[in-house]
Amino acid sequence: MKPTLFLLAAGMGSRYGGLKQLDGLGPNGETIMDYSIYDAIQAGFGKIVWVIRKDFEEQFRTQILSKYEGQVPCELCFQALDALPEGFSVPEGRVKPWGTNHAVLMGKDVIKEPFCVINCDDFYGRDAFMQIGKFLSDLPEGAKNQYAMVGFRVCNTLSENGSVARGVCAYNDKRHLTDVVERTEIMRIDGTISYKDENGEWQPLEENVPVSMNMWGFTPDYFQYSEAYFKEFLSDPKNMENLKAEFFIPLMVNKLINDGTATCEVLDTTSVWFGVTYAADRDATVARIKKLVDEGVYPNKLF
């Protein structure tokens, strides 16, 4: 069974200043996600699913989905603040979505095969999709508890216009993930890649340390684990009192690998990430895409 590509597209780009998911950056108005989908199809993916907000469904169908008709099967699902397990309700004053793993949970009724989760506004590159596509396609039928993530080399994931947030990864001799720690500020300072620690101090990072760019490979059993752990998350008073608490993918993965339920292989990639974290990144991203088109990596018109 061909794997599914699952794109997280429910968030507004607060730092970028708009719906960067729909920003046309390619020579014919292609979005970054168009290039991800093109690369995924080349890597053997057989279905595309997006999680979006219900309030921009019409614009999304008109501007995005229509171009894939006849190309690849597509489905939508929706993330909503009140999409909670029975017995739970949205705390008064909460407006922020519940995070990336809550968004993943929204796909449980439409995804029944191995799947790769990505952000829709990150340019991951062909090699990254080849690595995760091969991993998922090679899983035996009915496989469970064998997950993967693409570990980008941190030096290939920085922005020239400010700090970035990355999940810094550690792994064992089997390349199985042992820990992923979200570092919300990483940047190059005086030539050295550094992150800000819990005490506000800058600490150095090796150039090739693997980091998560939210490119994960799961099998459908992941949904059941996520449903159960989300209830635990919501049952913790501090998560309900903190109106910005989020149920992140690394939180779920850390639990599963630490309690021995699952393994998560760290796949290496030579791909260089780029994207539009900041508005100032836009021109450079347009130029990089144009260069790839000029070099023949991508056709002038994707779909």
Side-chain angles (χ1 to χ4, degrees):
M1 187 176 292
K2 290 185 174 183
T4 285
L5 182 67
F6 190 16
L7 294 104
L8 306 183
M12 282 283 287
S14 57
R15 285 178 291 185
Y16 185 65
L19 284 175
K20 58 183 174 179
Q21 297 92 338
L22 303 182
D23 193 2
L25 302 170
N28 290 283
E30 291 88 354
T31 64
I32 283 180
M33 77 173 93
D34 289 330
Y35 288 96
S36 292
I37 291 165
Y38 183 88
D39 282 339
I41 292 170
Q42 305 302 307
F45 285 76
K47 184 172 75 176
I48 313 298
V49 177
W50 290 263
V51 56
I52 65 171
R53 292 199 325 270
K54 186 71 176 175
D55 61 302
F56 69 93
E57 178 184 4
E58 185 177 349
Q59 182 186 3
F60 198 92
R61 286 188 182 279
T62 301
Q63 191 170 340
I64 301 297
L65 284 196
S66 60
K67 73 179 75 176
Y68 302 119
E69 289 178 357
Q71 303 279 346
V72 62
C74 298
E75 296 198 48
L76 291 181
C77 54
F78 305 97
Q79 184 181 24
L81 196 58
D82 60 357
L84 298 175
E86 189 174 347
F88 295 93
S89 58
V90 179
E92 185 177 351
R94 171 130 194 162
V95 295
K96 189 176 182 64
W98 292 100
T100 51
N101 211 56
H102 179 250
V104 170
L105 258 176
M106 301 303 102
K108 64 184 173 62
D109 293 330
V110 297
I111 298 175
K112 307 297 182 185
E113 54 283 318
F115 63 101
C116 170
V117 177
I118 65 167
N119 298 330
C120 68
D121 50 8
D122 287 313
F123 193 106
Y124 291 99
R126 182 78 48 80
D127 182 69
F129 285 99
M130 290 294 181
Q131 298 296 335
I132 195 77
K134 183 178 189 307
F135 175 87
L136 294 172
S137 296
D138 287 350
L139 288 173
E141 187 174 348
K144 295 183 176 181
N145 306 328
Q146 299 175 57
Y147 308 147
M149 59 156 287
V150 177
F152 281 73
R153 300 166 190 180
V154 67
C155 62
N156 287 338
T157 73
L158 303 179
S159 167
E160 296 178 358
N161 297 299
S163 64
V164 295
R166 302 285 181 255
V168 178
C169 303
Y171 57 86
N172 62 21
D173 56 0
K174 295 180 179 178
R175 287 197 69 89
H176 288 168
L177 185 71
T178 56
D179 194 28
V180 54
V181 179
E182 189 73 13
R183 298 297 182 187
T184 57
E185 291 186 66
I186 300 176
M187 61 192 304
R188 197 177 287 278
I189 301 174
D190 297 329
T192 300
I193 301 173
S194 304
Y195 70 89
K196 189 177 283 189
D197 67 14
E198 294 81 356
N199 301 314
E201 303 290 329
W202 288 100
Q203 305 293 344
L205 270 180
E206 292 290 330
E207 296 277 319
N208 291 322
V209 166
V211 296
S212 168
M213 296 302 302
N214 237 21
M215 191 177 206
W216 302 90
F218 298 121
T219 44
D221 49 289
Y222 184 79
F223 292 122
Q224 285 72 54
Y225 298 130
S226 296
E227 282 188 303
Y229 194 44
F230 191 40
K231 292 176 183 176
E232 287 187 41
F233 177 91
L234 294 171
S235 298
D236 187 334
K238 75 174 188 293
N239 290 329
M240 296 301 273
E241 292 164 7
N242 177 2
L243 299 180
K244 294 186 177 181
E246 293 189 61
F247 185 44
F248 289 119
I249 294 171
L251 183 71
M252 184 73 249
V253 172
N254 266 340
K255 173 180 168 50
L256 294 174
I257 62 176
N258 288 333
D259 66 17
T261 300
T263 58
C264 183
E265 187 172 335
V266 180
L267 308 175
D268 184 39
T269 182
T270 56
S271 286
V272 177
W273 168 92
F274 57 90
V276 283
T277 305
Y278 300 94
D281 293 329
R282 189 183 189 282
D283 288 348
T285 296
V286 170
R288 285 174 124 171
I289 290 173
K290 182 179 184 304
K291 185 172 186 291
L292 290 168
V293 172
D294 290 346
E295 291 172 349
V297 177
Y298 298 100
N300 187 62
K301 187 172 177 59
L302 289 182
F303 297 103

